[in-house]
Amino acid sequence: MVNLSLSVQNLFFSYENRKVIKNVTFDIQKGDFVGILGPNGSGKSTLLYLLSGLLLPDAGSIFISGKNTKELSRKNWSREIAIVFQETNLNLDLECYDIIMMGRFPHWRRWQKENKHDLDAVQDALQITNTKQFASRPFRELSGGEKQRVMIARALAQEPHILLLDEPTSHLDILYQLDIMSILYQLQKKGITIIGVFHDINLVSQFCNQVLFLKKGEVLHYDLVNKSLHTPQLEELFDVAFLEEIHPYSLRPFFMPLGIVNKLVPLSTSVHLICGGGSGSIFMKEFLEAGFSVSVGIVNQFDSDQEMASKLGLPVIIEKPFSPISDETFQKALDIASKSDYVFLAPGYWGWGNLRNLDIAFSLLERGKRVLFLKESLDRKWDYTEGQAIDKLNRLLQQPQVKVFSSVSELLSYLKNITKNNSG
Amino acid sequence: MNIAKKRLIILILIIILILSMIFSLGIGGGRFQVSDLLSFFQPSSLSLSEKTILFEIRLPRLILTVLVGAALSLSGAVLQGLFQNPLVDPYVLGISSGGAVGAIVAILSGISLGFITLPLFSFIFALATTFLVLRLGKIGTKMPLEIMLLAGVAIGFFFSALISLGMFLAGENLHQMVFWMMGGFWNSSWNKVITLLPLFIIGIPIVFSYSRELNAFLLGEKVAESMGVDVEKTKKILLLVTSLLVAGSVSVSGVIGFVGLVVPHIIRIIIGDDHRQLLPASFFLGSSVLLWADIFSRTLLHPVELPVGVLTSLMGAPFFIYLLRRKKKGW
């Protein structure tokens, strides 16, 4: 293929006895901007080291612009690929211009003087990275972000076809992060292939066109960002739950970690959560983190509890917006809720629209389920049904299968104990 | 500081060196005489003994001092750059202790091969020690510098014990060994100059030709390698060449401390970290500094001649502390 920039075939690498890169194969087209994502220790940096020749693979091949790297000298390799590492805290008393000029090293022979082409290459690098204004300043006087721009300029002075970056922005503040990323974006436009390891998923989503997921030394996914960079793939990669939104400005996907570690153990105890108006979100979090499976309903569409439950992928029974609960929806809710071991009523407002939710609790009591709620639910402030909701709650209280807790932690420890006894 | 200024400073250092050399030639017998100096250019007007003093004593001593001063500070600058460590001096790989052990062996064994005996033994032992350190510091095919540094320190301790043992056993030869270990140029001769010169003629251009690699090392070994520097080869060649230069110096003059440590620091403060200027500047300043140390050693307590090594340490250590406290920038 004419436009093939980099081809990696069946690459293996181990440190001592620890296999770090296992059978990695991928092709990168000229002008791609590839973001490599993966958990710590997944071999991302090692992969970059292999590509730049700082480590040599145990097996497999790397082709750069069709050339087998096994036949490349160290200098020729550095003419093809340059690498920028995490920002440095070096305090060199050396002018930035001289540091950038060092990038010309692979083009020099011993004793060879700097020629016109060297000067031009450095000028171009200064231009693209916008570092002209501190070219004659000592490197040690620059800020972290400026130093990193100089290091990118130095890499560009090598005139590489491929630029590798190993977490180039991870300690920079947001302005410099965007600054560096937009420099890279411009380089991509100039036809330089860019491959970077990043920690920030959203930077990858916003700037890269390809994404490579590396997990335990293997390629999990490698595809266009549009296709591959979505919640299911990210969750598989990091074992962490994400929320995916569309970024209102760039229109690229934007990811937020939910702050829940995905439990991979099968959940034995299940709770049906009756909530609404945002009263349920906190309990979804608490129950999931405690290891229960959760179903939700009935909630109106566009209610914040409905949105959260849907994002979390929980079974949720939805009524039309601003509508009272219909018989049909009520039946659906009973079907789902009756699969649970417990029903929990979140402390929240009761109105004529959601009063029937309490009837779910009564129906389930009849089917032998246990119903739980918090003491604070009995407060009159929640009631907008002229006392009917509180009456129903008080009637529930008289049932033997109903249990009331004074705090969330008491509730959780009760559920945990039950689960332990059941499984034990 | 721009390149023109840096070059001007190097030029000034060369002029200082030349003036110091001229001054040094005129110094002797505890006085400075311009007539001594001028007669250098008119040898016919000199008596035989005056000729001998000028050409057989002062001139070889001058040249030897210049060469050793240059070698020590140049090697210091190179090794500090290579190891990325400001506390490294030319003896970091155990050359001084190795050379001292060699000298002790030469003195105690009573072997005599003429003037060359002591220099030859110390040279061989110094180099052997360096190779031992390099061998111990090597892991697989790589030479991790921090391990090499520790290996050098460990070997140094071991050899110090051997040196103490040698001195304990030395008996009447003790003063000879002590003199050697304190460093000095009192036994200078043309023979020594001639044996040392080839090392310099080959070694110094090689070192200068690695300025760019040393600059690349400033960015870290990884970055240097990614820019096309053959890191392991560079380390090997520079360690080998500086070891030869330092071992050669130690073999003719004994252990002279602090010049190789302090001079590169002074140059760094003046012209920065760029080895293309740092190396030649250290070279010339090192020569001048040692030349002046030798001048003082000959004149301060005349007619007693002080060991130069003692003088350089006496002057160098406080100056070094002053520099550290003044500079206070991370390295």
Side-chain angles (χ1 to χ4, degrees):
Chain A
M1 234 184 292
V2 193
N3 279 327
L4 203 56
S5 177
L6 181 76
S7 176
V8 174
Q9 292 169 8
N10 308 102
L11 211 59
F12 286 88
F13 181 81
S14 7
Y15 289 112
E16 309 283 311
N17 293 324
R18 197 164 58 86
K19 287 181 187 149
V20 183
I21 296 292
K22 301 170 206 161
N23 202 11
V24 164
T25 298
F26 58 87
D27 288 341
I28 291 176
Q29 309 298 319
K30 187 171 180 294
D32 273 349
F33 189 167
V34 184
I36 300 178
L37 290 175
N40 289 339
S42 58
K44 296 168 298 196
S45 294
T46 306
L47 182 60
L48 287 194
Y49 281 28
L50 288 164
L51 296 182
S52 58
L54 297 179
L55 293 171
L56 295 177
D58 299 337
S61 319
I62 301 166
F63 294 87
I64 305 170
S65 311
K67 282 172 263 184
N68 190 335
T69 54
K70 282 179 190 127
E71 286 144 26
L72 283 182
S73 70
R74 181 60 257 177
K75 278 192 176 179
N76 282 335
W77 200 323
S78 303
R79 291 180 188 197
E80 297 287 344
I81 289 192
I83 182 166
V84 174
F85 298 95
Q86 271 188 30
E87 52 288 356
T88 106
N89 54 0
L90 286 174
N91 285 315
L92 298 177
D93 189 1
L94 208 58
E95 282 175 23
C96 294
Y97 184 89
D98 291 328
I99 288 184
I100 297 168
M101 184 59 90
M102 282 185 206
R104 297 301 298 160
F105 187 88
H107 299 270
W108 285 324
R109 272 174 303 181
R110 197 161 293 283
W111 298 114
Q112 187 180 317
K113 281 231 178 337
E114 292 151 16
N115 61 27
K116 175 87 170 53
H117 186 78
D118 295 323
L119 300 178
D120 290 345
V122 172
Q123 283 306 325
D124 287 349
L126 286 167
Q127 186 84 46
I128 299 168
T129 54
N130 196 17
T131 44
K132 257 192 182 138
Q133 70 272 26
F134 34 77
S136 61
R137 276 172 58 196
F139 188 67
R140 65 184 151 96
E141 289 179 6
L142 304 189
S143 73
E146 290 167 340
K147 282 180 179 172
Q148 193 63 330
R149 263 153 68 185
V150 169
M151 294 315 276
I152 292 176
R154 185 229 85 217
L156 291 177
Q158 287 174 236
E159 296 186 309
H161 299 117
I162 302 173
L163 181 62
L164 307 178
L165 302 114
D166 191 5
E167 294 177 22
T169 62
S170 45
H171 297 124
L172 299 182
D173 59 39
I174 182 73
L175 173 67
Y176 282 116
Q177 282 186 16
L178 293 173
D179 187 38
I180 300 283
M181 292 309 280
S182 63
I183 289 171
L184 298 179
Y185 189 68
Q186 287 164 42
L187 290 173
Q188 182 204 7
K189 293 276 164 286
K190 287 179 166 265
I192 296 179
T193 308
I194 298 173
I195 305 168
V197 168
F198 297 100
H199 262 317
D200 190 330
I201 300 157
N202 294 313
L203 286 182
V204 172
S205 175
Q206 198 173 340
F207 291 96
C208 300
N209 69 324
Q210 298 268 113
V211 64
L212 190 146
F213 290 141
L214 204 61
K215 189 173 188 180
K216 292 179 181 161
E218 290 174 274
V219 178
L220 203 62
H221 294 283
Y222 170 52
D223 209 332
L224 292 169
V225 164
N226 307 343
K227 276 196 194 162
S228 256
L229 192 55
H230 292 294
T231 303
Q233 289 89 340
L234 278 179
E235 290 180 346
E236 185 185 4
L237 183 67
F238 289 111
D239 294 321
V240 163
F242 284 92
L243 288 185
E244 180 175 345
E245 302 264 7
I246 294 298
H247 190 283
Y249 179 69
S250 71
L251 302 183
R252 298 271 197 136
F254 182 85
F255 300 92
M256 281 174 280
L258 274 178
I260 305 172
V261 174
N262 265 359
K263 301 278 183 192
L264 297 173
V265 284
L267 308 170
S268 53
T269 310
S270 51
V271 180
H272 182 77
L273 179 62
I274 292 174
C275 58
S279 64
S281 295
I282 179 68
F283 293 99
M284 295 178 208
K285 175 176 179 287
E286 292 289 351
F287 291 160
L288 285 172
E289 284 181 11
F292 305 114
S293 59
V294 180
S295 56
V296 178
I298 299 164
V299 284
N300 288 98
Q301 198 168 3
F302 306 129
D303 183 300
S304 62
D305 279 340
Q306 178 265 314
E307 288 181 342
M308 179 55 76
S310 300
K311 275 170 186 162
L312 289 170
L314 304 177
V316 53
I317 313 305
I318 304 170
E319 183 52 84
K320 289 190 285 293
F322 303 106
S323 311
I325 292 165
S326 67
D327 290 341
E328 192 189 345
T329 317
F330 187 82
Q331 194 51 48
K332 265 197 239 164
L334 278 186
D335 291 346
I336 293 257
S338 57
K339 288 177 195 149
S340 305
D341 305 313
Y342 297 91
V343 177
F344 178 72
L345 300 171
Y349 294 101
W350 300 105
W352 298 115
N354 68 348
L355 191 59
R356 280 189 84 182
N357 262 340
L358 281 172
D359 297 335
I360 296 176
F362 282 102
S363 305
L364 287 172
L365 273 179
E366 285 163 20
R367 300 186 191 191
K369 307 288 174 187
R370 285 177 165 275
V371 173
L372 317 170
F373 60 94
L374 297 181
K375 210 173 246 165
E376 64 170 295
S377 291
L378 295 168
D379 195 316
R380 296 222 160 256
K381 73 173 179 186
W382 302 117
D383 195 324
Y384 286 88
T385 56
E386 293 158 13
Q388 290 204 23
I390 296 296
D391 284 350
K392 287 195 182 201
L393 282 171
N394 278 324
R395 266 195 286 135
L396 274 176
L397 261 181
Q398 288 150 19
Q399 304 294 320
Q401 298 125 288
V402 175
K403 199 159 167 48
V404 181
F405 300 91
S406 53
S407 69
V408 178
S409 58
E410 195 189 308
L411 163 74
L412 287 174
S413 60
Y414 168 80
L415 285 171
K416 264 177 217 161
N417 268 332
I418 298 274
T419 323
K420 215 186 292 167
N421 293 340
N422 287 351
S423 60
Chain B
M1 180 176 295
N2 62 36
I3 189 88
K5 269 192 197 159
K6 291 179 182 174
R7 288 193 177 138
L8 181 67
I9 286 170
I10 293 173
L11 187 68
I12 292 170
L13 289 174
I14 294 174
I15 293 169
I16 290 175
L17 176 59
I18 292 170
L19 293 177
S20 310
M21 285 163 80
I22 293 170
F23 186 76
S24 171
L25 268 184
I27 283 273
R31 69 198 157 89
F32 174 76
Q33 275 201 345
V34 183
S35 60
D36 279 16
L37 189 62
L38 293 177
S39 56
F40 179 74
F41 301 98
Q42 267 185 311
S44 52
S45 68
L46 290 169
S47 72
L48 191 65
S49 67
E50 283 172 333
K51 267 190 196 170
T52 311
I53 288 175
L54 254 184
F55 290 100
E56 298 302 322
I57 298 177
R58 287 192 198 163
L59 193 57
R61 179 173 186 145
L62 171 89
I63 294 173
L64 220 51
T65 312
V66 167
L67 290 181
V68 169
L72 291 179
S73 27
L74 180 65
S75 304
V78 168
L79 293 172
Q80 285 170 5
L82 203 58
F83 284 91
Q84 292 292 294
N85 186 328
L87 289 177
V88 162
D89 76 355
Y91 308 125
V92 67
L93 297 179
I95 289 181
S96 55
S97 41
V101 170
I104 284 170
V105 170
I107 292 165
L108 287 186
S109 65
I111 297 169
S112 182
L113 310 164
F115 86 94
I116 197 87
T117 319
L118 214 147
L120 185 69
F121 268 75
S122 65
F123 183 73
I124 290 172
F125 271 76
L127 271 193
T129 312
T130 308
F131 285 128
L132 178 65
V133 170
L134 294 182
R135 187 73 201 77
L136 290 174
K138 200 169 165 181
I139 291 173
T141 57
K142 301 224 167 187
M143 302 202 286
L145 292 169
E146 65 278 18
I147 292 181
M148 205 115 61
L149 214 55
L150 292 174
V153 171
I155 294 287
F157 279 127
F158 183 77
F159 278 22
S160 295
L162 283 186
I163 294 162
S164 303
L165 182 67
M167 288 167 72
F168 179 71
L169 298 173
E172 61 185 36
N173 293 319
L174 184 62
H175 72 280
Q176 205 186 341
M177 276 168 45
V178 171
F179 271 28
W180 189 90
M181 285 175 57
M182 289 189 295
F185 293 99
W186 39 60
N187 283 325
S188 303
S189 66
W190 281 113
N191 283 332
K192 285 186 176 176
V193 173
I194 290 162
T195 24
L196 204 55
L197 214 49
L199 279 181
F200 280 73
I201 292 170
I202 299 167
I204 284 170
I206 293 177
V207 172
F208 282 145
S209 81
Y210 273 86
S211 303
R212 279 173 176 159
E213 278 88 345
L214 281 167
N215 278 350
F217 264 77
L218 290 176
L219 302 179
E221 269 187 60
K222 267 188 319 189
V223 179
E225 192 173 359
S226 82
M227 294 195 299
V229 175
D230 189 336
V231 166
E232 295 304 318
K233 185 180 146 205
T234 303
K235 280 193 245 177
K236 239 178 255 172
I237 287 179
L238 286 177
L239 289 175
L240 180 73
V241 173
T242 53
S243 298
L244 284 171
L245 289 175
V246 178
S249 304
V250 165
S251 74
V252 296
S253 66
V255 181
I256 296 173
F258 274 95
V259 176
L261 179 67
V262 175
V263 169
H265 275 283
I266 298 172
I267 299 295
R268 277 204 177 86
I269 289 171
I270 303 173
I271 64 175
D273 290 327
D274 192 332
H275 287 82
R276 289 172 299 179
Q277 294 94 36
L278 175 62
L279 297 188
S282 300
F283 183 93
F284 293 119
L285 183 63
S287 293
S288 296
V289 165
L290 197 53
L291 208 50
W292 279 101
D294 188 53
I295 290 170
F296 286 129
S297 82
R298 283 188 284 150
T299 52
L300 273 184
L301 292 181
H302 184 78
V304 178
E305 192 179 323
L306 293 171
V308 166
V310 171
L311 215 64
T312 54
S313 298
L314 277 179
M315 299 189 305
F319 189 62
F320 188 57
I321 291 165
Y322 162 74
L323 284 185
L324 286 181
R325 295 192 57 85
R326 210 197 70 132
K327 204 170 152 194
K328 275 194 181 158
K329 63 169 191 189
W331 206 63

